[in-house]
Amino acid sequence: LIESELKQLRAELEKKLYIINSVESWMKALTEQEREIVTYKAVEGRSWAETVELCNRTGTYQKSKHTVQRIYDLGIEKIYKAAK
C-alpha cells in the first residue's frame, strides 16, 4: 500500500516538475519587462491598476495602462507560441 502511494506521489511530482520547467523555459523567452508584467498579472493575479502601479514604481519611466497591457499581450503571445 505504501509503495503504491509512493509511486503515485512520484508520478505527480514528475508531472509538476515538468510543468514548472516548461513555465520557466517560457518565461526565459520573454524580455525583462514582459516577464515582470506577466508575473504580476498572470502568476500573481494582480489587477491592472496594481500591475501598472508596480511597473511604474520599479521601471525607469512611467507606463500607461495601455502600454502595460500591450507588453503583457506580447509576452503572452510569445508564451503561447513557445507552448505549441
Side-chain angles (χ1 to χ4, degrees):
L1 181 66
I2 292 177
E3 284 186 35
S4 168
E5 290 176 7
L6 280 174
K7 187 176 181 178
Q8 182 181 355
L9 289 171
R10 280 190 189 112
E12 287 178 32
L13 177 60
E14 285 181 27
K15 194 182 288 187
K16 289 180 182 188
L17 287 173
Y18 175 79
I19 291 169
I20 289 168
N21 289 333
S22 296
V23 171
E24 284 179 345
S25 172
W26 301 334
M27 293 296 275
K28 286 178 183 176
L30 304 181
T31 66
E32 188 176 329
Q33 277 189 335
E34 291 166 343
R35 191 169 33 256
E36 177 185 38
I37 293 168
V38 168
T39 298
Y40 290 149
K41 189 72 182 124
V43 177
E44 297 177 4
R46 295 181 184 270
S47 69
W48 281 116
E50 289 176 304
T51 301
V52 171
E53 181 183 335
L54 286 166
C55 289
N56 287 335
R57 219 185 292 161
T58 60
T60 55
Y61 66 94
Q62 296 293 299
K63 297 171 196 70
S64 68
K65 180 180 176 183
H66 175 77
T67 299
V68 171
Q69 287 174 327
R70 185 178 52 76
I71 295 168
Y72 173 82
D73 290 343
L74 290 171
I76 293 297
E77 187 176 318
K78 284 182 184 178
I79 290 172
Y80 177 76
K81 286 178 182 177
K84 280 186 166 183

